[in-house]
Amino acid sequence: MPLRLLKNAIDPRPDARFFTQPERLKKRYDVVIIGGGGHGLACAYYLAKTHGITDVAVLEQGYIGGGNTGRNTTIVRSNYLTPEGVKFYDQSVRLFQDLSDDFDLNIFYSRRGHFTLAHTDSALRTMRWRAEVNKHYGVDSEVVGREDIAAACPELDLDCGGHLPIQGALYHAPGAVVRHDAVAWGYGRGADRRGVEIHQKTRVTGIRVDGGRVTGVETDRGAVEAGAVVSMVAGSTPRITGMVGITTPIVIHPLQACVTEPLKPWLDTIIVSASLHVYVSQSSRGELVMGASLDPAELHSTRSTLDFTEELTDHMLDLFPFLGQTRLMRQWGGMADMTPDFAPIMGTTPVAGFYLDSGWGTWGFKATPVSGMTMAATVASGRDHELIEPFNLSRFERFALVGERGAASVGH
Ligand code: PYC
């Protein structure tokens, strides 16, 4: 008989959980992080591991990874358009590659190569621009022709049924997919083991500010004093920033995704079509993981719609007509905090001790490690880490935008 069954018969206590579940909130923490998604947990992890700051509470209104961390399509890449974006996401890709070892947990990091298809002359021009910026910063991207795309993905109909023939693509060899919830669990477990408290089902209802400095938070489980408060939420940023009187240009749109039934492995790469508003990869379970552009209207909801699946599957059939009989298995939605320049809002704010990690739109998952690392350094030193200086909220007053729209995976 397996030892575990025997042990259970004698002593029916459950196995240790992945995280400790502290019963009570303390009266005070050095740092309170609002949001127990990948970013919040990564920040807690690096605060503890790199900076020795362990008196940290992560407050999550739902459950770990139940927000956008578990709702994205798991793509990791650094083929951005601006120098600021390329440097930032390149650091994230580097961190991702070592995370399984770092956590001693398999996050199923799978390097696939990433094709962004160009169906028009102007799209191809943007791909060339991105390739040049990428190469300049040592990121492996190049513009490739139809033959290269056909060789990597023979199942793709390059003529798209005659609708929008593919002219070429931006090929980014480091493009990868990663098991998203494992990233959150790994960061959470690593933070927990170093003494960070993770409090699930704990909603922040107010933030206390005294003389321009943050002093603590109010929650549905009582008030807590804090030396620093870091907002690392998605879909709730305006609610949180409203508590300290800060306004951001963030607007929230739903972003939906879906998976098919499992298929035998046939798609080795990640395929993105900005013109057809589709991105797709095949998971290690064989499901096609697919997404499209944002829902058109501002809405604070994670509901799913038939419009989304109809439009997405229609465009998928332009690319892969043989999938006509494949069944969809699940669909879901997340809330995307969109900024005017498609870059995040990070770092220090006009309220002393209050830090923001927000505006993650449709690009948040791939930034998880680097946002955790740079936000932890920012909180520890009180100064914006150099990689995130360009993303400070003040850029909107200084008209110093970081225009990343051309590197969004699909047209939004
Ligand atoms: O930016 O790679 C991306 C992406 C994929 C899905 C949504 N955004």
Side-chain angles (χ1 to χ4, degrees), residues 255 274 277 279 292-295 338 342 362-363 405 408-412:
L255 182 68
H277 307 294
Y279 34 88
S293 43
L294 295 164
D295 287 6
M338 300 304 297
F342 283 53
T362 66
W363 47 88
R405 192 179 201 127
S409 51
V410 298
H412 295 294

Side-chain angles (χ1 to χ4, degrees), residues 146-262:
R146 284 167 61 98
E147 328 67 52
D148 303 293
I149 306 168
C153 188
E155 296 81 2
L156 184 60
D157 175 5
L158 289 171
D159 293 327
C160 296
H163 297 148
L164 263 177
I166 295 164
Q167 300 192 14
L170 179 68
Y171 178 61
H172 177 52
V177 288
V178 189
R179 175 85 208 187
H180 47 14
D181 30 20
V183 174
W185 299 332
Y187 276 124
R189 185 175 71 172
D192 176 82
R193 286 184 176 170
R194 289 172 172 82
V196 168
E197 289 186 9
I198 299 170
H199 291 271
Q200 306 185 65
K201 300 206 185 87
T202 305
R203 184 176 167 88
V204 171
T205 53
I207 299 179
R208 293 184 175 172
V209 178
D210 191 6
R213 163 163 277 285
V214 100
T215 59
V217 298
E218 284 152 23
T219 79
D220 55 3
R221 294 172 58 209
V224 169
E225 291 167 25
V229 174
V230 196
S231 173
M232 307 192 82
V233 300
S236 302
T237 302
R239 187 175 76 80
I240 300 293
T241 49
M243 294 175 186
V244 289
I246 289 177
T247 48
T248 71
I250 287 172
V251 284
I252 296 171
H253 289 246
L255 182 68
Q256 302 189 52
C258 59
V259 292
T260 65
E261 61 187 322

Side-chain angles (χ1 to χ4, degrees), residues 72-77 79-80 114 130 255-256 270 272 279 290-292 360-364 366 407-410 412:
N72 60 77
T73 43
T74 80
I75 295 171
V76 168
R77 63 184 175 91
N79 57 354
Y80 277 75
H114 181 286
R130 282 170 67 180
L255 182 68
Q256 302 189 52
I270 303 162
V272 176
Y279 34 88
M290 303 176 290
W360 288 109
T362 66
W363 47 88
K366 59 185 65 54
S409 51
V410 298
H412 295 294

